[in-house]
Amino acid sequence: MAQKQYGTAIVEVDAEGFMSDFSQWTREIAAAIAKEEGIAELTPVHWKVIDYIQRDFRENGQVPSIRKLNKSGVIGTKELYALFPGGPAKKAAKIAGMKKPEGCV
Amino acid sequence: MGDKITKVSIIISKGGLDGVYPGLILANGARMEGIEANLFFTFFGQDAITKKRMGKIKVATVGNPGMHMASLLGMLPGMSAMATSMMKKTMEKLDIPPVPEYIEMISDAGCKLYACKMTVDMFKLKKEDFCPQVDSIITVGKFYEIAAGGEIIFT
């Protein structure tokens, strides 16, 4: 298992940099991962998505799909792609400290 | 890691649920990976973007070897409707949207949608017959121009 350092924190990650132990996640780490993914600053709308992903994961045991994010009224698909350019579902999950989402939709 | 795919242009040429979905899933999946994507609808594939047909696409139970069903059975009234409803339920469970919603989602994801001019001429269709997500009606030549520098997938 690989490790990665964000500031003073050291976290467990998989080969693609997804955190493998959510208990190590902090908002500061999220901001650092976001920077790595090309998002300079996490805005309140970013946080709304991240908070929802984490809440939904706690309730259902899986990372919500883009479709669910849209249908639940959290964020429209267009906006989501604009907020997390170049692969929104994976990027948002990575920043939220989730494991890499599997699935084709 | 080898070369990454950065652009795909997907042709959907067949009607019916089993004809339309593979291309839609490929296009949406491409956008989810940050890959630039175009969809080109031709022949019966255009049912997926035609306003009056996109919500009524069924799976064929006759002459469809993939259904593992004798064609005589498939001819029974209601068979196609039943197979379609079963398939739709399964897809809903897998979080795959119905065609009209999927088209909207794919377009919102930044994939461009095009209709084939020859099919449009053949079936005497107009731009207004298509859902608003369709960017334009284009020729094969234009398609190649748009697809330049990327992969082309035919379904």
Side-chain angles (χ1 to χ4, degrees), chain A residues 43-53 55 69 73-75:
Chain A
T43 64
V45 199
H46 285 105
W47 281 113
K48 191 177 154 195
V49 176
I50 295 165
D51 290 342
Y52 179 82
I53 290 175
R55 184 159 20 104
L69 287 168
V74 178
I75 189 150

Side-chain angles (χ1 to χ4, degrees), chain A residues 23-90:
Chain A
S23 68
Q24 296 177 327
W25 182 89
T26 63
R27 289 172 79 91
E28 289 70 36
I29 290 171
I33 299 175
K35 275 213 179 72
E36 274 184 354
E37 294 292 330
I39 300 165
E41 201 194 335
L42 291 173
T43 64
V45 199
H46 285 105
W47 281 113
K48 191 177 154 195
V49 176
I50 295 165
D51 290 342
Y52 179 82
I53 290 175
Q54 292 177 343
R55 184 159 20 104
D56 201 58
F57 184 83
R58 270 195 302 274
E59 284 163 16
N60 300 306
Q62 55 183 353
V63 178
S65 64
I66 294 176
R67 186 186 186 206
K68 190 167 185 187
L69 287 168
N70 181 33
K71 280 198 147 182
S72 58
V74 178
I75 189 150
T77 303
K78 242 185 223 176
E79 286 171 274
L80 184 68
Y81 273 86
L83 280 175
F84 300 91
K90 281 184 190 162

